């Protein structure tokens, strides 16, 4: 293939850095930065398209016609559902009634913008009531409702609950596992060899079913601590038993041995529920095993104790998605802890990729639609192509250049990574040419504070239907001349779109029309 795809050898520019900003520069300066000649033969026109900002139309008096198109695609502000990010809906929040019990089987909350994952957190006793009996139906039924809509599922299986007598199945204790009484419930000895053995066998069975499953977003290490949060601050003062980092590591290792492909996470409370700080041995250990963190205590208390571990998240977010869970909404409101601005600030401080819906979902939406919309423009990553320049006409088998500028305006990296792709399609939607630039992985784009995202200029050189010279002739695949629709997408190296982009004119396959291009012989 005679395809040369290369990135412009420029460092990304930050819009707030003096003299390096791409913001506000004139188009001649832009084209110079992008490596295009700016002689009089290259004037610029804007092609009408509802992706374009009306603030960037050409000044009157421009030379026309031109031989290139220039676009300034405008972010439509809509919520995006993409891998490794989004709102997680608590279908089960320990109790089976909270918070999916009021939803009809057909109701998958399609009206909740940015909802990407259904979260199922229930006691071990409900999933394995007998040693050789598994009730996967309790998980798979709600999971499939969302999977059918292209969403993901996440799990936590717990061993201790204070709202029921025991989260651990009785047969585990009948086999000899030790436990301790705390108030009106019992807590297993997390270090007991019988308990550990039974946990490992269960986790192995669970991993057989869910590891490497593309529909699973993440799995919590859940068999340690109250509600699976990794702390015993309620029970230890009662029964006097405490556990240390050796036991915590043991539980992390069990999950890591069996979930080898799925993202795992532990609660920040493994390090201490109310202990602020940046680095903790157990969190360092989890990170070394590729396990991310979640904080389940957002807005449990009033400011300045609205959360404790945003500093801890700084180790994780550059390479692993951070998960946040706000307090049960109604309880947070009743105690005067709920604060919309602080909820947004938690996304910024933790560089969060996931945020919970920890209440009846439409109650949260109806009373917080404004803040949900604002969060959706920052949560996780948000890939933008802010400037495009490409020729009006290209020739079959000849090289041409597309210039583009990219940004990530979210709070986290695009962890999975992906590559820009330009696709030519005919009027019936048939794919005429797929042009991927393998030199630029969007994963490299780092997040920044609002309005300060770095700009990544890219020059991509492509050939449509390259010809091959042989002693017996010239060979080229069939590709008819004509005017085609040009789409942009981000996805795998073979051109499969993976990520939603914040633009209109989608082909329903995550490709977004940016205009037309003429292919000549």
């Amino acid at each position: 293939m005679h395809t040369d795809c290369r990135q412009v050898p420029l460092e990304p520019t930050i819009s707030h850095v003096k003299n390096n900003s791409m913001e506000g520069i004139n188009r001649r300066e832009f084209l110079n930065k992008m490596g295009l000649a700016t002689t009089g033969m290259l004037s610029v026109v804007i092609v009408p398209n509802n992706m374009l900002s009306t603030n960037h139309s050409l000044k009157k008096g421009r030379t026309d016609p031109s031989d290139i198109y220039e676009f300034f695609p405008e972010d439509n502000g809509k919520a995006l559902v993409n891998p490794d990010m989004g709102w997680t809906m608590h279908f089960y929040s320990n109790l089976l009634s909270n918070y999916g019990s009021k939803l009809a089987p057909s109701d998958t909350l399609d009206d909740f913008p940015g909802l990407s994952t259904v979260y199922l957190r229930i006691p071990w006793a409900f999933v394995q009531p007998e040693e050789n009996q598994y009730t996967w139906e309790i998980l798979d039924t709600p999971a499939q409702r969302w999977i059918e809509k292209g969403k993901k599922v996440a799990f936590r299986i717990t061993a201790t609950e204070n709202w029921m007598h025991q989260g651990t199945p009785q047969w585990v204790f009948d086999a000899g596992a030790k436990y301790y009484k705390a108030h009106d419930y019992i807590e297993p000895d997390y270090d007991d060899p019988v308990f550990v053995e039974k946990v490992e066998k269960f986790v192995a069975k669970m991993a057989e079913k869910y590891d490497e499953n593309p529909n699973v977003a993440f799995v919590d290490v859940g068999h340690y601590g109250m509600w699976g949060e990794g702390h015993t601050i309620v029970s230890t003062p009662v029964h006097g038993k405490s556990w240390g980092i050796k036991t915590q590591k043991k539980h992390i290792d069990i999950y890591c041995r069996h979930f080898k492909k799925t993202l795992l996470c532990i609660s920040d409370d493994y390090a201490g529920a109310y202990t602020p700080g940046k680095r903790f041995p157990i969190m360092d250990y989890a990170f070394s095993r590729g396990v991310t963190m979640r904080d389940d205590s957002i807005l449990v208390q009033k400011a300045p104790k609205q959360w404790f571990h945003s500093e801890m998240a700084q180790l994780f977010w550059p390479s692993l998605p951070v998960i946040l869970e706000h307090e049960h909404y109604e309880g947070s409101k009743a105690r005067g802890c709920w604060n919309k601005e602080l909820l947004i600030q938690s996304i910024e401080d933790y560089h969060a990729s996931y945020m919970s819906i920890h209440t009846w979902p439409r109650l949260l939406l109806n009373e917080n639609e404004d803040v949900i919309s604002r969060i959706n423009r920052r949560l996780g990553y948000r890939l933008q192509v802010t400037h495009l320049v490409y020729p009006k006409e290209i020739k079959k088998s000849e090289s041409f250049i597309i210039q583009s500028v990219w940004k990530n305006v979210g709070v986290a990296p695009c962890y999975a990574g992906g590559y820009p792709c330009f696709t030519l399609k005919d009027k019936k939607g048939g794919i005429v040419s797929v042009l991927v630039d393998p030199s630029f992985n969007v994963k490299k784009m780092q997040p920044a504070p609002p309005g300060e995202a770095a700009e990544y200029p890219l020059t991509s050189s492509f050939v449509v239907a390259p010809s091959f010279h042989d002693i017996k002739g010239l060979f080229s695949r069939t590709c008819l001349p004509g005017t085609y629709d040009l789409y942009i997408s981000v996805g795998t190296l073979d051109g499969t779109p993976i990520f939603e982009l914040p633009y209109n004119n989608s082909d329903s396959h995550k490709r977004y029309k940016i205009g037309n291009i003429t292919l000549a012989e």
Side-chain angles (χ1 to χ4, degrees), residues 3-21:
T3 303
D4 174 30
C5 300
R6 57 188 176 84
Q7 184 185 355
V8 173
L10 294 175
E11 292 298 319
T13 56
I14 309 294
S15 60
H16 73 285
V17 178
K18 188 176 182 180
N19 297 328
N20 287 326
S21 175

Side-chain angles (χ1 to χ4, degrees), residues 239-268:
H239 55 56
K241 175 65 176 179
S242 61
W243 295 267
I245 191 171
K246 182 178 179 181
T247 304
Q248 293 176 324
K249 287 182 177 181
K250 187 178 296 184
H251 281 262
I252 292 171
D253 290 344
I254 287 173
Y255 275 79
C256 287
R257 272 195 293 273
H258 300 287
F259 283 95
K260 298 179 180 179
K261 301 294 183 180
T262 303
L263 178 66
L264 295 172
C265 63
I266 64 168
S267 169
D268 61 316

Side-chain angles (χ1 to χ4, degrees), residues 48-337:
N49 185 293
N50 67 5
M51 283 176 58
L52 304 184
S53 169
T54 56
N55 295 327
H56 290 96
S57 58
L58 281 177
K59 295 179 180 179
K60 293 181 180 180
R62 282 277 192 174
T63 303
D64 190 26
S66 69
D67 58 2
I68 63 170
Y69 289 144
E70 182 182 19
F71 289 84
F72 296 83
E74 185 174 87
D75 190 314
N76 60 19
K78 295 180 180 179
L80 305 178
V81 176
N82 277 323
D84 303 317
M85 59 172 281
W87 290 83
T88 64
M89 184 266 166
H90 285 240
F91 192 90
Y92 301 135
S93 182
N94 306 83
L95 285 80
L96 297 181
S97 57
N98 292 351
Y99 285 101
S101 62
K102 296 181 181 180
L103 298 175
S106 60
D107 188 351
T108 51
L109 296 167
D110 298 344
D111 55 325
F112 198 109
L115 171 58
S116 69
T117 306
V118 60
Y119 182 52
L120 309 175
R121 183 166 73 203
I122 58 173
W124 182 13
F126 290 175
V127 185
Q128 194 183 9
E130 301 294 339
E131 185 160 16
N132 296 311
Q133 179 187 349
Y134 299 89
T135 56
W136 301 118
E137 185 268 356
I138 200 171
L139 299 175
D140 292 340
T141 300
Q144 282 299 317
R145 295 175 187 172
W146 271 266
I147 290 169
E148 194 173 68
K149 296 292 185 70
K151 307 298 178 64
K152 305 290 186 181
V153 61
F155 304 103
R156 183 193 294 177
I157 308 301
T158 69
T160 303
E161 298 286 343
N162 63 345
W163 55 272
M164 61 187 298
H165 182 254
Q166 60 196 72
T168 297
Q170 181 59 40
W171 61 264
V172 177
F173 300 125
D174 292 343
K178 296 178 182 178
Y179 63 87
Y180 300 90
K181 291 184 178 180
H183 303 291
D184 58 350
Y185 60 93
I186 62 176
E187 181 170 37
D189 183 343
Y190 302 112
D191 205 31
D192 179 82
V194 175
F195 176 78
V196 171
E197 174 197 353
K198 303 306 183 183
V199 169
E200 176 127 30
K201 287 182 177 179
F202 172 80
V203 172
K205 195 73 173 179
M206 186 178 179
E208 284 181 14
K209 185 176 177 69
Y210 296 114
D211 193 29
E212 296 190 76
N213 185 331
N215 298 316
V216 177
F218 58 86
V219 174
D220 295 349
V221 177
H223 280 84
Y224 178 79
M226 177 64 70
W227 312 306
E229 290 187 353
H231 65 76
T232 62
I233 56 174
V234 177
S235 56
T236 291
V238 178
H239 55 56
K241 175 65 176 179
S242 61
W243 295 267
I245 191 171
K246 182 178 179 181
T247 304
Q248 293 176 324
K249 287 182 177 181
K250 187 178 296 184
H251 281 262
I252 292 171
D253 290 344
I254 287 173
Y255 275 79
C256 287
R257 272 195 293 273
H258 300 287
F259 283 95
K260 298 179 180 179
K261 301 294 183 180
T262 303
L263 178 66
L264 295 172
C265 63
I266 64 168
S267 169
D268 61 316
D269 291 347
Y270 269 67
Y274 304 118
T275 308
K278 188 173 184 178
R279 299 292 290 270
F280 298 86
I282 188 58
M283 304 308 289
D284 288 353
Y285 181 75
F287 180 75
S288 75
R289 298 301 310 269
V291 177
T292 193
M293 68 161 282
R294 60 178 296 141
D295 189 334
D296 294 355
S297 58
I298 305 301
L299 302 182
V300 170
Q301 300 186 53
K302 296 180 181 179
K305 297 181 178 180
Q306 66 271 27
W307 54 77
F308 291 91
H309 291 138
S310 58
E311 287 185 324
M312 180 192 292
Q314 307 315 304
L315 172 65
F316 292 87
W317 74 258
S319 58
L320 295 168
V322 170
I323 303 158
L324 295 185
E325 176 182 312
H326 63 73
E327 166 68 316
H328 294 270
Y329 175 57
E330 291 162 290
S332 183
K333 280 179 58 182
R335 296 193 303 275
C337 302

